[in-house]
Amino acid sequence: MSAAEIKQTVKERYDKFAATGGGKAPCCPTTKKQPGSPYAVATGLYMQQELSLVPKVAMDLSRGCGNPSGFAQLEPGEVVVDLGCGGGIDVILAAHKVGVDGKVVGIDFAPQMIERSKQAVTEAGLQDRNIEFHVADIEKLQLPDSFSDAVISNCVINLCPNKDAVYQEALRILRPGRRLAISDIVLTESIDPDLQHRFRATWAGCLGGAIPENDYLETVKDAGFTELHIVARHILAPEELAGMSICPGKAFTPAAAEADLAKVQGKVVSIKFTARKPPLN
Ligand SMILES: C[S@@+](CC[C@H](N)C(=O)[O-])C[C@H]1O[C@@H](n2cnc3c(N)ncnc32)[C@H](O)[C@@H]1O
């Protein structure tokens, strides 16, 4: 598929998914609840207290692989941009963190997702906050230079054919000295080209566009980011890999062959990291 065909496929997939309203069975879970852990069973990603702030419409459409607003160290009054906001879960959590003086902008190229995000914000009682949504491609943002204090993204950039463009745009819209907080899916190493071709032929879930971790992090650094810090990394277990390979759900994304999935078992990683745009000298 060409880059344009990939984006059209992904957009249609998530538009259809949003139109259904989604449902349980998040497809990019991380760990199950550990004894004594504050993390919720439902997703393994968010704290129970955070989930209490999120309406059902956003929970049902949540397809993230981390909790970027949880490790972005957001402060009251800051401006945050969420790249690929989906049903709005991280926009809502970020809005609570930046408060009444802050601003959150959610961006997604699937118009139905943006409609659901707006609904979620209203249902969360945040309609009077400074929250905007834009239907746009995150490879070409319609935002001014030095616009935001933080850029967050949750399980989106793996889907983008041009990851360089996404990180260059993220750098451009950040103020000097401000930061990224990203959750995404990468590979531990390069995989067999024929296998990769099969995953790419359908842009399988969050696997078709996944690239080796080293290459991914080089992309971030090449864009101009510094102080790259890995917050967490988790190799997907078999059931996690199976779910993630058909994200956002089996009704929308063709399943990869079981034998192909077995070949990448142990090689697909959920990473969370932060990085900084260099300050002005
Ligand atoms: C796996 S979902 C994650 C959604 C959300 N971040 C979450 O945690 O629930 C990926 C989202 O990214 C959006 N997306 C993918 N590629 C995009 C692009 N190039 N520009 C804008 N949105 C994109 C999809 O429409 C979808 O809503």
Side-chain angles (χ1 to χ4, degrees), residues 14 62-64 84 86 90 108-110 136-138 154-156 159-160:
Y14 281 94
S62 169
R63 290 298 183 268
D90 298 313
D108 204 290
F109 66 3
D137 184 346
I138 62 171
N154 194 353
C155 210
V156 176
L159 292 165
C160 296

Side-chain angles (χ1 to χ4, degrees), residues 26-44:
C27 54
C28 300
T30 57
T31 47
K32 297 227 165 36
K33 182 173 164 58
Q34 302 295 319
S37 159
Y39 285 88
V41 184
T43 68

Side-chain angles (χ1 to χ4, degrees), residues 35-221:
S37 159
Y39 285 88
V41 184
T43 68
L45 306 177
Y46 298 96
M47 305 227 277
Q48 200 66 262
Q49 184 210 0
E50 293 174 306
L51 294 179
S52 69
L53 303 170
V54 179
K56 186 172 182 302
V57 58
M59 278 308 303
D60 283 351
L61 292 172
S62 169
R63 290 298 183 268
C65 54
N67 177 4
S69 79
F71 60 85
Q73 299 185 321
L74 301 177
E75 299 285 344
E78 287 193 315
V79 177
V80 184
V81 176
D82 182 9
L83 303 181
C85 61
I89 185 166
D90 298 313
V91 168
I92 289 168
L93 294 176
H96 279 284
K97 292 200 158 86
V98 299
V100 288
D101 296 327
K103 176 178 179 121
V104 186
V105 180
I107 297 175
D108 204 290
F109 66 3
Q112 295 287 332
M113 274 297 197
I114 291 294
E115 287 309 308
R116 296 291 184 174
S117 269
K118 289 179 179 168
Q119 178 189 344
V121 163
T122 302
E123 289 183 14
L126 297 172
Q127 64 277 10
D128 296 331
R129 294 290 181 91
N130 198 352
I131 299 174
E132 282 175 16
F133 289 102
H134 299 181
V135 177
D137 184 346
I138 62 171
E139 292 181 10
K140 200 170 188 314
L141 296 172
Q142 311 292 316
L143 292 171
D145 296 357
S146 300
F147 172 83
S148 69
D149 298 296
V151 169
I152 62 172
S153 186
N154 194 353
C155 210
V156 176
I157 301 167
N158 70 82
L159 292 165
C160 296
N162 190 346
K163 295 167 182 51
D164 296 281
V166 176
Y167 281 107
Q168 285 158 13
E169 281 291 81
L171 188 93
R172 182 182 68 74
I173 65 163
L174 275 170
R175 294 184 187 142
R178 307 308 165 98
R179 73 278 190 207
L180 276 179
I182 304 290
S183 299
D184 212 351
I185 299 292
V186 294
L187 305 173
T188 55
E189 59 192 70
S190 300
I191 58 173
D192 170 66
D194 290 339
L195 182 60
Q196 186 167 54
H197 178 76
R198 289 197 290 280
F199 290 140
R200 293 203 165 175
T202 58
W203 212 247
C206 296
L207 191 50
I211 63 172
E213 182 172 354
N214 285 347
D215 296 345
Y216 188 107
L217 297 179
E218 277 308 309
T219 299
V220 178
K221 288 184 212 160

